[in-house]
Amino acid sequence: MANRTNQELMALRQKHVPPGPFNITPIFAQRAKGAVIEDVEGKQYIDFAGGIGVENVGHCAEQVVAAIKEQAEQFIHTCFHVVMYEPYVELAKKMNEVTPGDFPKKTMFVNSGAEAVENGVKIARYATKRPAIIAFQNAFHGRTYMAMTLTSQVKPYKWGFGPFCPEVYRMPYAYCYRCPFGLEYPACEIHCAEYLEEFFIGHVAADSVAALIVEPVQGEGGFIVPPQGYFNKLKAICEKHGIIFIMDEIQAGMGRTGKLFASEHFDVIPDIILTGKSIAAGLPLAGITGKAELMDKPHVGGLGGTYGGNPIACKAGLAVLDTLNADMLDTSKNLGEKLRKRLVDLQSRYEIIGDVRGLGPMIGMELVKDRKSKDPAADDAKELVRRCYENGLIVISCGVYHNVIRILVPFVITDDQLEQGFAILEDMLKGIA
Ligand SMILES: Cc1ncc(COP(=O)(O)O)c(C=O)c1O
């Protein structure tokens, strides 16, 4: 391939690729390592996005690259349904061991987070013989039809793509900065979780509900962290009514919050846990791990797919789990503390930062036009993302109001790189705030 510039490649992209698959920056990657991406013109960027939460262990982590190479030289694909292979069963065993819950579990693998969501729903419906699924406001679960239906944000994810799947019901989430009930924590006594019992009166009968699916920290929806006790209350109500509790840890899992799984912060044990993104450091892989008694229900041949649990992806997944050892989780936790300090400091100096929130290094800041009215500053967030990229920092936004700057930086970022990143972020913030 000829050495092309970003602009030449962009012309090619525009001619041959539709606009639907969006681009946050107009650059093309040449190589990436740790927390730095270099584009085709040799310009380097500090990466605070990690491919949207996929590079927790860093771009091209040595152990991961070695595992990929080793597997690629042996065989690339046989299809797990035709001829099985060790990396799949070994990774399933490891996922059963490391996920929360001291009970027999089983894991199956698919290619993407959305597919994990689809399969979680299939298993829950099959196991309970019930039709309904409860999801949450601000939720994001992916772009396939059921995953998109469960997703709450209309633009851009759902707009024009209806009709959606039936039997999906939506509860408010514990978005304390903008409480859907106008209450304040802790005086509210987490009414938003208790509301589930009321929900069964006005929206859907409890005995029609197969599963409740929820993110431990809402990612795309705005890095929203519920208060302690929230999930325990929801889970207790689910248990009372025989509803399967599905935790979507696709963005929050694999060490992103300072613990291997975000559920661990809340002392809640899901019946089914969905993983993806950082599970294989960039290889397409996602997992559905659940109580064996549920996972064993669907009949033989009822679940699967040609590529699900591809051997190279599973080998990469095993390397990721090895890499995410206690030391790396400590690094993640420490990074979270550093990021919080930096963001809280920025908040004390820039009025535009209405809220800083997150768990560990899954942290973000919500930009508002005015701290009192909390009017979302979506245009400023967009401008900040653009200016940061132009100055060598890749950072992305999120939030139903598109006004949250989120940080999903690889844990292996060096202190120098972090300093550089924050220097750019603050400079750009000065320009717009
Ligand atoms: C919480 C959550 N669930 C599901 C998905 C969908 O994953 P994928 O894009 O791999 O289909 C995402 C992706 O951002 C996510 O953040």
Side-chain angles (χ1 to χ4, degrees):
M1 265 185 295
N3 267 353
R4 291 162 162 154
T5 63
N6 287 311
Q7 211 178 356
E8 285 164 345
L9 287 167
M10 183 57 117
L12 209 62
R13 183 254 180 266
Q14 275 165 344
K15 186 161 180 210
H16 297 288
V17 183
F22 71 113
N23 308 109
I24 295 168
T25 65
I27 52 167
F28 288 77
Q30 183 68 35
R31 55 179 66 83
K33 184 80 187 159
V36 174
I37 297 176
E38 188 179 309
D39 75 5
V40 287
E41 295 171 17
K43 182 169 174 186
Q44 293 198 337
Y45 297 81
I46 308 279
D47 182 15
F48 274 14
I52 318 191
V54 171
E55 298 299 342
N56 286 359
V57 298
H59 290 281
C60 294
E62 263 165 41
Q63 217 179 326
V64 174
V65 174
I68 292 171
K69 280 186 180 162
E70 189 188 61
Q71 185 56 46
E73 277 169 6
Q74 284 171 3
F75 63 94
I76 293 171
H77 175 82
T78 56
C79 182
F80 187 70
H81 309 307
V82 179
V83 176
M84 296 173 284
Y85 35 86
E86 188 174 356
Y88 190 120
V89 291
E90 188 58 28
L91 185 60
K93 173 176 173 278
K94 291 244 159 76
M95 289 303 286
N96 295 337
E97 285 164 5
V98 297
T99 45
D102 190 15
F103 41 71
K105 288 180 223 141
K106 297 254 172 107
T107 292
M108 63 169 282
F109 296 108
V110 290
N111 305 296
S112 68
E115 226 188 314
V117 169
E118 299 284 339
N119 280 277
V121 168
K122 279 172 76 171
I123 293 164
R125 281 182 167 163
Y126 199 105
T128 58
K129 306 288 176 232
R130 297 173 178 185
I133 308 293
I134 295 179
F136 287 79
Q137 277 172 17
N138 327 309
F140 183 85
H141 296 291
R143 293 171 181 271
T144 53
Y145 261 94
M146 175 49 88
M148 174 176 60
T149 304
L150 294 167
T151 290
S152 165
Q153 214 180 107
V154 176
K155 279 189 184 174
Y157 304 122
K158 302 174 83 161
W159 197 44
F161 293 123
F164 303 104
C165 300
E167 289 299 326
V168 169
Y169 299 85
R170 195 169 307 285
M171 279 264 294
Y173 191 81
Y175 189 178
C176 297
Y177 185 64
R178 300 176 188 275
C179 176
F181 295 94
L183 302 172
E184 243 179 71
Y185 179 79
C188 64
E189 294 180 0
I190 320 183
H191 171 73
C192 54
E194 278 161 14
Y195 177 72
L196 181 54
E197 286 285 11
E198 240 175 280
F199 196 78
F200 297 142
I201 300 167
H203 295 270
V204 59
D207 60 8
S208 293
V209 180
L212 175 146
I213 180 165
V214 67
E215 294 159 84
V217 176
Q218 286 187 325
E220 210 59 41
F223 275 34
I224 306 168
V225 191
Q228 283 297 327
Y230 176 68
F231 290 116
N232 310 86
K233 284 191 182 206
L234 283 180
K235 175 87 196 302
I237 299 173
C238 285
E239 267 171 20
K240 180 174 147 200
H241 296 285
I243 296 168
I244 293 170
F245 189 88
I246 304 179
M247 196 64 114
D248 178 345
E249 292 239 16
I250 289 161
Q251 189 161 159
M254 309 315 293
R256 177 42 59 187
T257 62
K259 293 187 188 271
L260 197 52
F261 296 99
S263 302
E264 297 169 48
H265 288 280
F266 298 99
D267 207 14
V268 66
I269 301 199
D271 300 311
I272 292 177
I273 185 162
L274 307 177
T275 46
K277 289 190 182 276
S278 276
I279 190 176
L283 272 281
L285 187 73
I288 304 106
T289 302
K291 283 186 171 155
E293 71 208 53
L294 296 174
M295 299 296 290
D296 282 342
K297 282 270 162 47
H299 55 268
V300 173
L303 304 173
T306 304
Y307 292 116
N310 166 274
I312 301 179
C314 286
K315 248 329 207 335
L318 286 165
V320 165
L321 274 184
D322 269 355
T323 311
L324 278 175
N325 53 23
D327 283 350
M328 184 65 98
L329 290 177
D330 266 355
T331 304
S332 162
K333 190 167 159 259
N334 294 337
L335 177 63
E337 281 158 18
K338 284 185 213 164
L339 292 173
R340 180 172 293 278
K341 235 184 235 162
R342 299 300 298 253
L343 291 177
V344 167
D345 170 56
L346 288 179
Q347 188 187 24
S348 72
R349 290 180 291 118
Y350 296 93
E351 275 291 301
I352 193 170
I353 304 175
D355 196 23
V356 168
R357 55 174 183 256
L359 260 189
M362 182 172 185
I363 192 161
M365 52 183 184
E366 178 157 355
L367 305 188
V368 291
K369 290 185 179 148
D370 172 89
R371 285 195 183 171
K372 210 155 183 197
S373 71
K374 298 185 181 174
D375 262 359
D379 290 346
D380 290 323
K382 196 170 170 192
E383 185 59 14
L384 185 64
V385 166
R386 192 184 65 79
R387 290 188 191 188
C388 281
Y389 134 72
E390 282 178 356
N391 286 277
L393 172 68
I394 295 176
V395 68
I396 53 179
S397 63
C398 63
V400 273
Y401 306 108
H402 310 287
N403 65 328
V404 179
I405 300 293
R406 59 171 148 170
I407 297 181
L408 288 164
V409 63
F411 306 153
V412 293
I413 190 164
T414 64
D415 284 344
D416 274 359
Q417 291 163 347
L418 198 62
E419 282 310 312
Q420 275 179 51
F422 266 92
I424 299 169
L425 186 64
E426 175 155 13
D427 259 7
M428 298 309 112
L429 205 50
K430 255 183 224 158
I432 60 153

